[in-house]
Amino acid sequence: MKIKHARFVVSNTEVAKCPQPDRPEYAFIGRSNVGKSSLINMLTNRKSLAKTSVKPGKTRLINHFIINEEWYLVDLPGYGYAKTAKSERRKWEKFINDYILKRENLYSLFVLINSRHQPQEIDLEFMEWLGISGIPFAIIFTKSDKLKDDELQLNLESYKSKMLETWESMPPWFVSSAVNGSVRDEILGYIKKINTSV
Ligand code: GTP
Ligand code: MG
């Protein structure tokens, strides 16, 4: 699938104020700094459509981008950033949970996991909550360019075996690098397949 147009639509903290849920939507979530905003820029081939930062805690709102005027990509704030004030963290959690549970045109979430790290409780618990809540999702292992291939394979294997302790099978998964963009076509193909099946 070719991305001809990508433009920012609106930012907010309330599901009710998001754009009309009249077309397919895909959102990116995961720990702060895992590379959600960078991935949106890589997929759309735009340097700074979504704002990125070397410091965690950059994205703080629900940000809608419309692609080819046909479907939405959504950049969400990260979870698990220790330096965020507790009250603010609770506020984020509430609007993110609300968004995930209530957004009727959310066809799939992408849960981003840093491919350099061992499985983290916070991500595993979050995915279990998605499973219990019946929210479809795929995993994207990010920053693969920071690892040697054999280290990457080892980490992926250990992640899969951890997941299979609680899941019957792995959800769809991708390995990405925002630096070399190698998985762009695969992720866009996955989105296209869902777009055309509904
Ligand atoms: P928050 O909005 O704070 O939750 O973070 P985020 O998940 O949106 O992360 P962001 O895209 O802002 O990226 C965080 C940092 O990681 C930036 O310095 C990016 O340049 C870097 N980064 C993101 N993806 C990759 C990648 O695939 N490879 C490498 N080497 N760096 C990456
Ligand atoms: Mg971000």
Side-chain angles (χ1 to χ4, degrees):
M1 173 167 50
K2 260 210 143 54
I3 292 193
K4 288 170 272 175
H5 299 286
R7 77 182 158 85
F8 169 73
V9 183
V10 68
S11 293
N12 61 66
T13 60
E14 282 175 55
V15 190
K17 291 185 184 162
C18 289
Q20 283 294 315
D22 56 1
R23 45 199 96 192
E25 181 158 314
Y26 304 85
F28 296 83
I29 192 146
R31 299 194 75 166
S32 285
N33 206 248
V34 70
K36 301 174 290 296
S37 304
S38 304
L39 188 70
I40 288 181
N41 292 336
M42 184 271 271
L43 290 176
T44 54
N45 219 348
R46 298 268 298 269
K47 266 207 181 95
S48 45
L49 184 66
K51 295 199 177 74
T52 65
S53 166
V54 286
K55 289 195 211 137
K58 177 70 178 174
T59 309
R60 288 162 182 255
L61 300 165
I62 302 170
N63 299 289
H64 274 80
F65 302 93
I66 191 161
I67 311 301
N68 297 345
E69 303 295 322
E70 283 170 357
W71 49 279
Y72 292 112
L73 279 182
V74 177
D75 194 13
L76 294 171
Y79 51 72
Y81 177 41
K83 280 193 185 153
T84 312
K86 248 195 192 149
S87 57
E88 181 146 358
R89 234 190 299 165
R90 268 199 223 105
K91 211 169 65 189
W92 290 9
E93 268 168 29
K94 171 147 179 25
F95 76 67
I96 294 172
N97 288 5
D98 252 26
Y99 166 80
I100 292 172
L101 297 176
K102 293 186 186 160
R103 188 71 174 158
E104 60 208 81
N105 59 330
L106 179 63
Y107 286 174
S108 179
L109 260 184
F110 288 99
V111 177
L112 274 62
I113 307 272
N114 190 327
S115 60
R116 282 193 300 178
H117 295 166
Q118 291 305 302
Q120 313 266 307
E121 261 332 292
I122 191 166
D123 296 316
L124 297 168
E125 278 171 14
F126 179 73
M127 288 187 277
E128 267 176 47
W129 175 75
L130 291 177
I132 290 163
S133 309
I135 307 291
F137 70 94
I139 297 179
I140 301 182
F141 294 100
T142 65
K143 306 195 184 185
S144 61
D145 56 282
K146 293 204 170 191
L147 281 168
K148 292 201 192 90
D149 201 47
D150 53 343
E151 290 170 326
L152 178 65
Q153 295 313 324
L154 270 177
N155 282 4
L156 292 174
E157 282 313 314
S158 99
Y159 214 97
K160 280 191 249 173
S161 47
K162 185 73 190 170
M163 289 287 288
L164 293 175
E165 285 174 15
T166 43
W167 292 81
E168 251 170 51
S169 57
M170 272 296 276
W173 58 276
F174 304 90
V175 181
S176 91
S177 161
V179 176
N180 64 37
S182 56
V183 81
R184 180 192 291 119
D185 290 348
E186 269 178 69
I187 296 176
L188 291 177
Y190 173 81
I191 290 175
K192 183 181 179 187
K193 206 165 147 198
I194 300 177
N195 279 348
T196 50
S197 71
V198 290

